[in-house]
Amino acid sequence: MLTFHNVCWAPSSFQLTGIPGLESLHIWLFIPFGSMYLMAVVGNVTILAVVRVERSLHQPMYFFLCMLAVIDLILSTSTMPKLLGIFWFGAGDIGLDACLAQMFLIHCFATVESGIFLAMAFDRYVAICDPLHHTTVLTQAVVGYLGLAALLRGVLYIGPLPLMIRLRLPLYKSQIISHSYCEHMAVVTLACGDSRVNNVYGLSIGFLVLILDSAAIGASYIMIFRTVLGLATPEARLKTLGTCGSHICAILIFYVPIVVSSLIHRFGHHVSPPIHTLLANFYLLIPPILNPIVYAVRTKQIRERLLQILKIEVKSR
């Protein structure tokens, strides 16, 4: 590929490098990343199938869980097939429009997932603090509207990112993106011209979603804990908190990698590029892998249904 120093031009495509600094290991990295992607797909498809066939799981919390499963499938599938292609075939070329579409899907559905966690926190708040009205407040229609609201928020917040790049930053000083996918900042840093508006908007949306959603989730759990502490017996407290355990684990699985990755990206200037890129990929892979495991282990109905399916398969053999 030709490189023109100090020259800006309008490329029709970019070249993703995969994991910069680990190019010699790409063929071997295919195995763990391919295995993790397969686990994510199988786990989330299994959750969708179990909730569909098990009528006792047709409740708000599990409808939200299905939304999470769909989002996790979109997030992992928007990046992993391309990354595996880079590892195995060296297929790093990606068209400009495809790059912007990938960027939109990643950031949009990460925002949507945060919104679903907020809706799940509201569900737990109503179920514990106002249990008599839980079924009347969180009907299937309301659950659908909350999911739609999270989706529309993601589209409205993230939609301008690729549009601003397309309209405001048509020229680039390089085609090589030192990343495994089209992350917003990785693309913007290659652009010629003033990218401050793009930077400020991207950072503002990221902090807005992270701070507001985490604050709202925290506030809901403060009220939940106050209600739980007012229960008469320790057994009742543990049983009530147990209904929140899976949600709390899923929240930590989602937010902790984002916070760690963001802190290292902003302040870890001495951290090597492979670590930056690996963390960025793990933040898209860890929730899709662990969410189904957490809910399968901690949810009695899902666990029993899975064991029943496994027993049927063993007997059929």
Side-chain angles (χ1 to χ4, degrees), residues 48-300:
L48 290 170
V50 169
V51 173
R52 177 180 173 82
V53 300
E54 185 60 52
R55 296 195 64 82
S56 65
L57 297 176
H58 291 184
Q59 302 172 29
M61 183 170 70
Y62 302 109
F63 291 141
F64 288 129
L65 176 58
C66 287
M67 295 179 194
L68 282 184
V70 172
I71 292 166
D72 285 340
L73 286 170
I74 293 172
L75 282 175
S76 56
T77 303
S78 65
T79 56
M80 283 303 111
K82 183 63 180 177
L83 180 58
L84 295 176
I86 295 172
F87 286 162
W88 194 255
F89 304 108
D93 190 69
I94 184 169
L96 176 59
D97 291 334
C99 182
L100 295 179
Q102 186 187 56
M103 178 194 301
F104 171 77
L105 287 173
I106 293 167
H107 295 294
C108 174
F109 281 94
T111 303
V112 175
E113 185 155 6
S114 182
I116 296 300
F117 280 124
L118 179 57
M120 293 175 82
F122 176 66
D123 168 63
R124 291 298 84 205
Y125 164 74
V126 176
I128 293 171
C129 299
D130 192 11
L132 295 178
H133 296 95
H134 182 237
T135 55
T136 57
V137 172
L138 277 157
T139 61
Q140 290 190 16
V142 170
V143 171
Y145 290 141
L146 289 173
L148 181 61
L151 177 61
L152 290 176
R153 186 185 71 155
V155 171
L156 290 174
Y157 279 10
I158 304 302
L161 286 180
L163 288 177
M164 286 193 295
I165 290 176
R166 199 73 163 101
L167 298 175
R168 298 188 70 257
L169 303 172
L171 302 178
Y172 296 84
K173 51 198 172 195
S174 175
Q175 288 178 289
I176 300 174
I177 300 175
S178 297
H179 212 292
S180 58
Y181 58 83
C182 291
E183 196 268 336
H184 176 248
M185 291 303 298
V187 175
V188 168
T189 53
L190 299 179
C192 299
D194 188 359
S195 61
R196 284 177 296 181
V197 173
N198 300 70
N199 290 332
V200 169
Y201 183 81
L203 289 172
S204 299
I205 290 299
F207 281 117
L208 182 68
V209 171
L210 182 64
I211 292 172
L212 290 184
D213 286 4
S214 58
I217 291 170
S220 69
Y221 270 98
I222 289 173
M223 290 184 283
I224 287 171
F225 289 142
R226 287 177 59 186
T227 301
V228 169
L229 291 174
L231 296 176
T233 64
E235 291 79 10
R237 295 170 193 167
L238 286 174
K239 184 178 179 180
T240 304
L241 283 177
T243 64
C244 302
S246 300
H247 183 232
I248 293 172
C249 289
I251 288 172
L252 294 175
I253 290 168
F254 178 73
Y255 283 109
V256 170
I258 291 178
V259 172
V260 171
S261 181
S262 299
L263 289 175
I264 290 178
H265 184 74
R266 301 300 167 197
F267 305 110
H269 304 296
H270 301 294
V271 178
S272 62
I275 301 299
H276 280 285
T277 309
L278 285 170
L279 283 172
N281 281 284
F282 288 154
Y283 123 71
L284 293 176
L285 262 180
I286 289 175
I289 292 172
L290 293 184
N291 282 344
I293 296 174
V294 167
Y295 278 93
V297 169
R298 295 190 60 88
T299 305
K300 182 180 177 181

